[in-house]
Amino acid sequence: QVQLVESGGGSVQAGGSLRLSCAASGRFGRFSNYAMGWFRQSPGKEREFVAGISWNGGIKHYAEPVKGRFAISRDNANNMVYLQMNSLKPEDTAVYYCAAERTQLTTRQNEYDYWGQGTQVTVSS
């Protein structure tokens, strides 16, 4: 089993920045075996893909609304994945989830095997 714990959420004004962290633990073998993704869900909306990173960080995908503003990274030595969020907008307000996928990087959430509990990000105008 893999446990994922997100942190770093909070309230910020538009234009501000936040850095989300996701710590992986448990009996999952090597963290570097997993592609990692960040998703978000706003009230009344479906959960959506935000960013994903391959096992070694060599491939990164971003949703169009966050391209150029968000950056995903990982530290395999410490079982961590990060989401740096800059130039935040009110429409970025959501619960952000970290997820792990055992085979390859994908934007499809139903292919992810493990999920964290989420961390709230609130951006005020």
Side-chain angles (χ1 to χ4, degrees):
Q1 283 287 356
V2 177
Q3 288 82 47
L4 301 174
V5 179
E6 302 94 338
S7 61
S11 297
V12 65
Q13 289 193 327
S17 299
L18 285 172
R19 188 193 195 205
L20 304 184
S21 299
C22 173
S25 63
R27 300 176 64 181
F28 55 84
R30 293 197 308 173
F31 179 67
S32 59
N33 286 341
Y34 292 81
M36 300 297 295
W38 285 97
F39 292 78
R40 67 186 182 186
Q41 187 168 22
S42 304
K45 295 185 179 180
E46 293 186 355
R47 189 161 56 185
E48 63 179 0
F49 172 80
V50 174
I53 188 168
S54 62
W55 69 274
N56 65 350
I59 300 172
K60 301 176 184 180
H61 291 319
Y62 295 96
E64 283 296 330
V66 308
K67 280 184 179 178
R69 299 188 298 122
F70 290 11
I72 189 171
S73 60
R74 67 187 296 162
D75 177 357
N76 285 343
N78 292 295
N79 298 347
M80 297 290 295
V81 64
Y82 304 98
L83 185 68
Q84 178 67 43
M85 305 187 296
N86 299 325
S87 302
L88 282 161
K89 303 175 181 180
E91 51 263 44
D92 295 319
T93 295
V95 176
Y96 284 72
Y97 298 90
C98 172
E101 209 287 319
R102 282 177 292 190
T103 55
Q104 60 184 5
L105 178 59
T106 176
T107 62
R108 295 184 288 271
Q109 59 179 298
N110 62 353
E111 295 188 14
Y112 280 78
D113 302 292
Y114 303 102
W115 292 84
Q117 294 299 306
T119 185
Q120 176 70 47
V121 171
T122 302
V123 185
S124 58
S125 57

